[in-house]
């Protein structure tokens, strides 16, 4: 199996009426979304609209008060975050959360751990199987880093990477879990205009290369317009609009949410 | 295993036997005592390093695990004395391993609260555990209670202690250089990210505790069978602090650093005996200066050979 092989062509992910409140605040209210296999959708909204909270709900960091999530026919509600990752949902973080003191290569290799099939005794004795699997992980990780343009820095510590490379490494690490659905939380945050454009191109490529379904959070509306098939707009925890980029652009509610009432 | 590994094992056993022979024949017992205590310190520091340095948890109860290992193995070779076998070299070796396993079980029980607690709070819980263990031994009359347990067969010599130093070092290094090791390190680096990459954070915290306390138990067993006498005071809170100092001085997360820390914390107070009553003033002063000069510990997060490699390339 190589880094690019996927067992499924994307994932079919249905989120229905997901809600959570913190104290009296309804952070996310009746959030529904249907991601079809290999679709690239956007989730946008002004600051504090609840976008990241949605991701935290979907990845099991928070448990929803109500609602359902079904990935390829399997319900994910109530699972631990690591179980959800194993089920095929990977994510990146808005505020980068790399394993800073590990090398770039090791960061990616951590994601392969869920597939490890040697035990503790084999690693203490370094059996042939240990060597074979470690080599397989190493080769797969190297290949993946090549695709993401990071292979020259694979022995460097993750924290020593420039900011843009750290963002790419986050995506590489998420891809290494062989996700059926990839959730990207503001991957372009903090990048300059050219870097942003380049990254959006990469994301569009990733979908075809890794055959994965992608949901992209982006603060900047213009950016997602170019690559997403469908966009959901969130404001104060509620969905205020769903549609194609063109429909969203002209939606008065969206304009109001972003610019305020004129 | 490969031929090279077999040869390495045979050669290192040969070297250890040789040094052991030389020490016992020619060197005064005081030096042997210091050298062996160094070895025990190294095992203790390397094992604690797995929890404090690699998994990023904070344990202050390592003397407790050491005590479990010491008392369990000593009870097997003295009080229980199921068969004369347990008075022989091999028998004592087995007893020490059983002591390690008992400590691992204790590590499992203490590892569980670490799933819910972090940092200072976990430190308090482990501290409490260490004290509870000590009080339990203090109140078990069968193992001597406050009077301590004398007459333990003194079978742990330089050879056995340093054989375990090598075993601990190789085992922990191999663990860290494996997928399981990366999982443990990822927990230290960022728990939320580790979870999201499919790492069962809770499981690897407990794994770190169990493996760590196994080796601490071994250190305890060796200690008991070297001193041939143990009492609850051998495993006071100070001993745990000493282990933490070893790890911090050497550099958190660095195995070779832990070895260095084990040597420094054991040998330095002995060397300072020339200062007589000022010894315990100067020792902490040296520690303070060390920490000011190298806050990340002598070796930082790196292993000693990595430091040299970097120098060679630049």
């Amino acid at each position: 199996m190589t880094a690019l092989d996927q067992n499924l062509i994307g994932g079919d992910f249905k989120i229905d009426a997901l809600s959570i409140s913190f104290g009296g605040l309804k952070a996310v209210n009746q959030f529904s979304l249907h991601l079809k296999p290999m679709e690239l959708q956007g989730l946008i909204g002004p600051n504090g609209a609840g976008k990241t909270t949605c991701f935290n709900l979907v990845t099991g960091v928070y448990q929803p008060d109500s609602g359902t999530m079904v990935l390829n026919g399997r319900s994910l509600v109530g699972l631990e975050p690591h179980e959800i990752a194993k089920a095929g949902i990977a994510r990146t973080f808005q505020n980068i959360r790399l394993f800073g003191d590990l090398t770039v290569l090791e960061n990616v290799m951590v994601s392969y751990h869920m597939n490890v099939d040697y035990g503790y005794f084999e690693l203490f004795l370094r059996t042939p199987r240990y060597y074979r699997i470690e080599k397989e992980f190493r080769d797969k990780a190297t290949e993946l880093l090549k695709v993401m343009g990071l292979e020259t820095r694979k022995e460097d510590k993750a924290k020593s990477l420039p900011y843009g490379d750290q963002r790419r490494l986050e995506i590489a690490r998420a891809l290494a879990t062989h996700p059926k659905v990839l959730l990207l939380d503001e991957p372009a945050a903090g990048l300059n205009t050219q870097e942003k454009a380049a990254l959006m191109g990469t994301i569009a490529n990733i979908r075809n290369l890794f055959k994965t379904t992608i949901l992209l959070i982006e603060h900047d509306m213009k950016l997602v317009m170019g690559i997403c098939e469908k966009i959901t707009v969130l404001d104060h925890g509620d969905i205020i609009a769903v549609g194609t980029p063109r429909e969203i652009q002209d939606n008065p509610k969206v304009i109001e949410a972003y610019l305020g009432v004129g | 295993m490969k031929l090279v590994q077999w040869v390495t094992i045979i050669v290192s056993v040969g070297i250890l036997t040789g040094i052991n022979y030389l020490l016992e024949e020619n060197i005064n017992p005081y030096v042997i005592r210091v050298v062996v205590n160094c070895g025990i310190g190294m095992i203790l520091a390397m094992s604690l390093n797995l929890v404090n340095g690699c998994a990023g948890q904070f344990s202050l109860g390592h003397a407790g695990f050491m005590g479990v290992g010491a008392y369990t193995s000593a009870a097997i070779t003295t009080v229980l004395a199921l068969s004369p076998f347990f008075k022989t070299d091999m028998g004592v070796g087995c007893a020490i391993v059983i002591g390690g396993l008992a400590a691992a079980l204790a590590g499992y029980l203490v590892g569980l609260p670490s799933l819910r607690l972090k940092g200072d709070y976990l430190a308090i819980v482990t501290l409490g555990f260490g004290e509870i263990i000590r009080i339990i031994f203090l109140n078990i009359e069968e193992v001597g209670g406050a009077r301590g347990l004398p007459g333990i067969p003194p079978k742990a010599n330089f050879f056995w202690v340093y054989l375990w130093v090598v075993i601990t070092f190789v085992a922990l290094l191999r663990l860290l250089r494996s997928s399981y090791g990366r999982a443990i390190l990822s927990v230290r680096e960022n728990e939320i990210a580790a979870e999201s990459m499919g790492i069962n954070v809770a499981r690897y915290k407990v794994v770190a505790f169990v493996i760590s306390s196994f080796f601490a138990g071994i250190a305890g067993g060796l200690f008991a069978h070297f001193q041939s006498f143990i009492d609850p005071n051998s495993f006071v809170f100070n001993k745990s602090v000493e282990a933490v100092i070893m790890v911090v001085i050497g550099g958190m997360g660095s195995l070779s650093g832990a070895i260095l820390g084990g040597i420094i914390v054991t040998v330095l107070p002995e060397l300072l005996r020339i200062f007589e009553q000022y010894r315990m003033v100067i020792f902490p002063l040296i520690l303070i200066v060390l920490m000011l000069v190298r806050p990340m510990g002598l070796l930082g997060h790196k292993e000693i050979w990595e430091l040299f490699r970097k120098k060679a390339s630049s």
Side-chain angles (χ1 to χ4, degrees), chain A residues 72-206:
Chain A
N72 293 341
R74 180 183 172 198
S75 169
L76 299 183
V77 174
L79 294 185
E80 296 275 324
H82 65 91
E83 292 169 323
I84 289 183
K86 280 174 197 148
I89 293 187
R91 72 175 294 185
T92 64
F93 297 90
Q94 184 180 355
N95 46 343
I96 297 175
R97 289 176 185 271
L98 289 171
F99 308 128
D101 256 325
L102 302 189
T103 67
V104 169
L105 194 68
E106 286 168 338
N107 263 272
V108 175
M109 286 168 81
V110 167
S111 298
Y112 294 133
H113 183 69
M114 57 171 94
N115 304 318
V116 76
D117 61 350
Y118 60 78
Y120 289 95
F121 281 102
E122 285 175 281
L123 79 86
F124 289 132
L125 298 176
R126 296 225 161 145
T127 58
R129 181 148 64 161
Y130 161 85
Y131 283 109
R132 183 169 53 76
I133 291 168
E134 282 292 307
K135 183 178 181 305
E136 183 190 313
F137 284 2
R138 193 165 289 272
D139 291 347
K140 270 164 66 174
T142 309
E143 193 187 335
L144 186 56
L145 288 172
K146 221 170 260 172
V147 173
M148 295 304 290
L150 290 169
E151 83 274 21
T152 52
R153 315 225 36 173
K154 68 177 181 182
E155 297 300 335
D156 295 343
K157 287 202 168 168
K159 66 179 177 194
S160 73
L161 290 184
Y163 189 80
D165 284 353
Q166 292 197 3
R167 289 243 170 246
R168 301 179 92 84
L169 179 55
E170 275 235 325
I171 299 176
R173 188 180 63 176
L175 283 170
T177 64
H178 294 278
K180 299 180 176 91
V181 176
L182 178 62
L183 308 174
L184 301 173
D185 196 347
E186 297 210 20
L191 302 183
N192 66 34
T193 321
Q194 283 130 353
E195 286 172 329
K196 274 184 183 175
L199 186 73
M200 288 301 149
T202 311
I203 290 168
N205 279 336
I206 283 171

Side-chain angles (χ1 to χ4, degrees), chain A residues 82 100-101 113 118 124 130, chain B residues 174 177 179-180 189 195 204:
Chain A
H82 65 91
D101 256 325
H113 183 69
Y118 60 78
F124 289 132
Y130 161 85
Chain B
R174 288 186 166 191
R177 295 281 186 277
S179 195
Y180 293 89
E189 294 294 318
E195 273 280 343
Y204 288 102

Side-chain angles (χ1 to χ4, degrees), chain B:
Chain B
M1 286 203 284
K2 289 175 189 158
L3 186 66
V4 190
Q5 289 171 327
W6 285 111
V7 173
T8 320
I9 291 171
I10 292 165
V11 169
S12 37
V13 168
I15 291 173
L16 285 177
T17 321
I19 300 175
N20 191 34
Y21 176 76
L22 285 176
L23 279 177
E24 280 178 354
E25 292 300 307
N26 304 310
I27 313 246
N28 78 49
Y30 167 69
V31 175
I32 298 182
R33 177 159 291 266
V34 173
V35 171
V36 169
N37 277 333
C38 255
I40 294 170
M42 289 178 200
I43 300 174
L44 197 63
M46 281 191 282
S47 68
L48 183 63
N49 182 47
L50 184 66
V51 170
N52 281 27
C54 302
Q57 307 303 299
F58 197 90
S59 168
L60 256 182
H62 227 49
F65 299 121
M66 195 182 170
V68 172
Y71 267 96
T72 310
S73 58
I76 292 172
T77 54
T78 57
V79 184
L80 297 173
L82 297 169
S83 77
F85 167 70
F86 283 115
K87 299 281 185 195
T88 64
D89 268 349
M90 285 320 279
V92 169
C94 291
I96 289 175
V97 171
I98 296 171
L101 292 173
L105 182 69
Y108 176 74
L109 297 176
V110 180
L112 291 179
S114 81
L115 309 179
R116 318 188 106 261
L117 298 168
K118 281 194 176 89
D120 312 351
Y121 307 102
L122 179 63
I124 300 295
V125 168
T126 51
L127 188 161
F129 160 80
E131 288 301 288
I132 290 170
I133 292 288
R134 194 172 63 82
I135 303 295
I136 289 176
F137 290 134
L138 199 61
N139 286 287
I140 301 181
E141 278 304 318
E142 285 72 23
V143 291
R147 280 172 289 113
L149 184 58
I152 306 167
K155 291 288 184 188
N157 50 17
F158 173 87
F159 174 79
W160 288 110
V161 169
Y162 278 84
L163 187 65
W164 272 107
V165 170
V166 174
I167 293 172
T168 310
F169 179 74
V170 172
L172 291 178
L173 190 68
R174 288 186 166 191
L175 173 68
L176 292 174
R177 295 281 186 277
S178 75
S179 195
Y180 293 89
R182 285 190 294 272
I184 290 173
L185 290 170
S186 75
V187 172
R188 171 189 78 191
E189 294 294 318
N190 197 314
E191 281 188 25
I192 293 177
E195 273 280 343
S196 300
M197 301 308 135
I199 303 294
N200 188 341
V201 168
R203 178 194 291 166
Y204 288 102
K205 282 183 184 176
V206 174
V207 164
F209 261 100
V210 168
I211 295 178
S212 165
S213 34
F214 171 77
F215 286 111
I218 296 287
L222 290 167
F223 175 78
H225 290 85
F226 175 68
Q227 303 277 346
S228 95
F229 170 80
I230 47 171
D231 66 350
N233 282 332
S234 317
F235 310 105
V236 287
F237 173 60
N238 262 351
K239 192 85 192 166
S240 298
V241 175
E242 214 175 276
V244 173
I245 294 175
M246 290 173 185
V247 173
V248 175
I249 287 263
M252 301 273 258
S254 164
L255 264 183
S256 37
I259 290 182
L260 203 59
I263 297 173
I264 291 173
V265 173
T266 318
V267 174
L268 208 52
E270 299 298 331
L271 293 180
L272 294 175
R273 280 187 195 280
I274 44 169
F275 295 104
E276 293 172 355
Q277 70 265 43
Y278 297 110
R279 185 166 76 109
M280 278 306 151
V281 177
I282 296 174
F283 178 57
L285 272 178
I286 293 178
L287 295 185
I288 290 172
V289 171
L290 260 176
M291 279 294 101
L292 286 175
V293 178
R294 282 192 71 85
M296 74 299 275
L298 287 171
L299 299 183
H301 289 300
K302 296 194 181 79
E303 297 296 345
I304 197 157
W305 53 89
E306 290 169 348
L307 289 177
F308 285 116
R309 196 182 301 158
K310 201 167 186 188
K311 254 181 205 153
S313 67
S314 61

